[in-house]
Amino acid sequence: MTITRRFAIGCLMLGSVLLAAGLAGEAAAQVKPEGEMRWALYVTLSPVWFDPGEVVGQLTPFWVLYALHDALVKPMPGNQMTPSLAESWTVSADQRAYDFKLREGLKFHNGDPFTAEDVKFSFMRAKGSKVLHDRVKEVVVVSPSRVRFQLHEPFPDFMAFYGTMATGAGWIVPKKYVETVGDDGFKKNPVGLGPYKFVSHTPGVELVMEANESYWRKVPSVKRLVYKVVPESTTRAAMLKRGEVDIAYLLEVPQAQRGGPSSIRARAPTPTAATPTSTISTSGKRAKPTARSARRSCTRSSRS
């Protein structure tokens, strides 16, 4: 398996687990988020990953983006182009214009209203989107809840770049806030539209986030997420066994097998996200029971 494919699978896996642990069951009654879920990650969390405009040819930042931010259209379990901040979109007859109808009444974590101006601003500042920038003639703010991308010529792959993890151009940041604090200030204290709010970041140690109880899709079930930076796989395995973390990434098979009866060798629920031994989960004592149940439901014990 290539590194790129492993990262892609890891991001899809994370999206699946985030959905199951915090956001599953949109029809379920809204409850106050409770508990804490800790993750042992094998990579150092860079502040650059807190800003979707900085995504340049990497998929690992989406581990953070899926929690802190939201996109007009994004991959979700069961649908690789799920309408999110955009309720819908249409393509003109000549295939040179894409019109998006935005969800109304949404607010960023700091209270700023979400509008089409934020969509245009986010697109224009996205660094890893040369393919899109070369093909988009202009971004037109039709109204606060409508935005149009006018292309130079037909580009059938527009949504494949804008509505997936190919770029961060469709992930939205608050224009007013970014212009006030600057790019560096935004990385220190990111503000988004996602299901979790930024709390703190200790470089080389951990990232802490708390539930956004105003998230439009569904209030997360788990109140607090902690991403721990643990480069050594043996340390990740030991932390998992001791119950210091609930989920550990990229453990070697022997380490996973020594994890004890509570460990689960995980596969995502869909073939596109399936990868053996990519995630090992314990019973998750800190997370509330509903989160633990959801997490178990999105995994499958298997033998390679």
Side-chain angles (χ1 to χ4, degrees):
M1 180 181 295
T2 65
I3 295 296
T4 300
R5 178 167 172 74
R6 175 174 286 184
F7 283 172
I9 288 173
C11 291
L12 286 170
M13 188 69 177
L14 178 64
S16 299
V17 177
L18 273 176
L19 181 69
L23 304 171
E26 294 183 37
Q30 298 288 289
V31 295
K32 294 284 288 185
E34 298 177 6
E36 180 176 280
M37 187 180 291
R38 294 188 176 187
W39 311 62
L41 304 182
Y42 57 92
V43 291
T44 299
L45 296 168
S46 169
V48 172
W49 296 358
F50 305 165
D51 184 351
E54 296 283 353
V55 175
V56 181
Q58 283 187 305
L59 293 171
T60 43
F62 287 92
W63 277 359
V64 178
L65 299 187
Y66 264 84
L68 292 177
H69 299 286
D70 211 340
L72 262 63
V73 181
K74 65 184 180 184
M76 293 286 280
N79 186 353
Q80 292 302 302
M81 289 188 188
T82 303
S84 293
L85 298 178
E87 291 181 343
S88 61
W89 69 92
T90 58
V91 185
S92 63
D94 63 3
Q95 299 186 27
R96 295 190 180 191
Y98 287 74
D99 283 73
F100 293 86
K101 170 63 175 70
L102 310 181
R103 295 185 190 277
E104 300 183 48
L106 303 187
K107 293 184 178 181
F108 289 93
H109 298 157
N110 66 345
D112 287 354
F114 163 61
T115 72
E117 290 286 355
D118 301 303
V119 177
K120 178 178 180 178
F121 175 77
S122 299
F123 176 81
M124 299 306 295
R125 70 187 292 271
K127 295 181 178 179
S129 308
K130 187 178 187 305
V131 171
L132 289 175
H133 287 156
D134 287 348
R135 287 166 172 78
V136 174
K137 181 179 180 180
E138 62 177 334
V139 181
V140 181
V141 175
V142 180
S143 73
S145 62
R146 290 187 179 275
V147 62
R148 176 179 302 132
F149 288 79
Q150 189 70 50
L151 310 186
H152 291 286
E153 57 187 23
F155 180 45
D157 290 332
F158 175 79
M159 288 303 298
F161 282 88
Y162 189 71
T164 69
M165 293 186 290
T167 72
W171 293 73
I172 311 305
V173 299
K175 176 183 178 182
K176 181 180 178 181
Y177 177 73
V178 175
E179 290 180 336
T180 300
V181 303
D183 291 343
D184 291 339
F186 184 79
K187 293 180 184 65
K188 293 177 181 177
N189 189 19
V191 169
L193 286 158
Y196 283 88
K197 299 178 181 181
F198 175 85
V199 174
S200 65
H201 173 235
T202 305
V205 180
E206 67 181 19
L207 168 66
V208 181
M209 298 170 283
E210 288 194 348
N212 171 18
E213 297 186 30
S214 299
Y215 186 56
W216 66 272
R217 191 184 295 276
K218 180 185 180 293
V219 176
S221 297
V222 179
K223 182 174 180 61
R224 193 175 181 91
L225 296 183
V226 181
Y227 288 3
K228 308 284 290 186
V229 177
V230 188
E232 293 294 329
S233 62
T234 53
T235 305
R236 293 195 298 275
M239 293 176 69
L240 186 70
K241 189 173 183 178
R242 292 194 299 264
E244 295 175 13
V245 295
D246 301 298
I247 295 176
Y249 273 80
L250 288 184
L251 300 184
E252 300 297 329
V253 173
Q255 295 168 349
Q257 291 174 337
R258 290 194 297 267
S262 65
S263 64
I264 302 172
R265 187 158 52 158
R267 287 184 183 269
T270 59
T272 57
T275 177
T277 68
S278 63
T279 304
I280 311 297
S281 171
T282 67
S283 57
K285 296 180 178 62
R286 280 173 296 276
K288 61 182 295 185
T290 54
R292 295 200 300 272
S293 299
R295 193 163 65 250
R296 282 195 294 269
S297 71
C298 82
T299 61
R300 299 289 186 271
S301 267
S302 64
R303 292 191 178 275
S304 301

